[in-house]
Amino acid sequence: MEFYDVINRRRSMRGYKSDPIPAESLDRIAKALQVAPSACNLQPWKFLYIENQDLCDKICQVYSREWLGQAPAIIVALGNSEDCWRRIEGTPIVDIDVGIAMEHVVLAAAAENLDTCWICAYEIKKLNRVLEINHPWSALAITPIGFGSKEPRELDRKPIDEIFEVIK
Ligand SMILES: Cc1cc2nc3c(=O)[nH]c(=O)nc-3n(C[C@H](O)[C@H](O)[C@H](O)COP(=O)(O)O)c2cc1C
C-alpha cells in the first residue's frame, strides 16, 4: 500500500471481527517495529502481542470496553524508564520513543488492512499489576489489533493553517 494511503487508512477502530491475524502480517508488523527510531538508538521498548484469553480478560478489566475484548489480540507497548536516553533536564524520553514505535506498529497494521486503536486512558499501575510488569518496565500504551467490524468515527481535524506554519 502506498505510504499516504496507509496513513489515511489508519483510523481508531472500536469494533472488531474475531478473524485471526495472518502470520505473514504479524511478521511484517514486527519488522516495522524493529526499524523504529529511538533516542541514542536505545530501543527502550518491548511489545507484547497477547492472544491468551486470560490475559486479554485481565486487560479488559483495566480498560473496560466491549470492543477491546472482541479483537483476536491485544498489543501492549512496554517502555523501560531506566535504559532510555534522558533529556538535558534529566527527564526520560521513553514516552516519545515508545510512541514512535507504537505508531510504526499501528501504521504497519493499517498497511496490512488490519485495524487498531491507541489506548492510554487506563491506570498504568493497574495494568502493570495484572500483567506482572515491574519497574523499570511499564505498560505505556495498548491497542487491540484485528479486522474492524464497523466504520470509524468521522474524521475531525484542525485546519492545516492552525497546526502547520511555514516560516521563511
Ligand atoms: C496517545 C493516544 C492515546 C489514546 N487513547 C485512547 C483511549 O484510551 N481510548 C480510545 O478510545 N481512544 C484513544 N485514542 C484514540 C484517539 O481518540 C484518536 O486517535 C483520535 O480521536 C483521532 O481519531 P482517529 O485515530 O480515528 O484518526 C488515543 C490516541 C492516542 C494517539
Side-chain angles (χ1 to χ4, degrees), residues 10-12 14 63 67 117-121 152-153 155 157:
R10 185 225 55 84
R11 298 298 314 285
S12 293
R14 298 181 178 89
Y63 186 78
W67 47 269
C117 181
W118 269 88
I119 296 172
C120 291
R153 293 175 185 164
L155 190 72
R157 292 295 192 268

Side-chain angles (χ1 to χ4, degrees), residues 116-132:
T116 56
C117 181
W118 269 88
I119 296 172
C120 291
Y122 56 83
E123 282 183 52
I124 291 186
K125 273 188 185 168
K126 279 191 187 167
L127 190 57
N128 286 346
R129 196 180 319 125
V130 299
L131 295 176
E132 298 179 23

Side-chain angles (χ1 to χ4, degrees), residues 21-84:
I21 289 155
E24 320 81 72
S25 293
L26 192 56
D27 199 37
R28 286 188 286 264
I29 290 168
K31 285 179 176 142
L33 164 66
Q34 188 184 30
V35 298
S38 56
C40 271
N41 200 24
L42 286 172
Q43 305 157 65
W45 54 64
K46 179 162 184 180
F47 280 58
L48 308 177
Y49 174 84
I50 301 177
E51 290 176 334
N52 178 280
Q53 197 55 53
D54 282 353
L55 281 180
C56 287
D57 290 348
K58 284 181 179 169
I59 295 170
C60 289
Q61 282 164 19
V62 176
Y63 186 78
S64 180
R65 301 291 187 282
E66 196 192 358
W67 47 269
L68 181 59
Q70 295 167 350
I74 300 174
I75 291 176
V76 180
L78 306 181
N80 184 324
S81 59
E82 295 288 343
D83 194 14
C84 68

Side-chain angles (χ1 to χ4, degrees), residues 88-100:
I88 309 304
E89 294 83 358
T91 47
I93 203 91
V94 63
D95 276 3
I96 290 182
D97 283 344
V98 171
I100 291 168

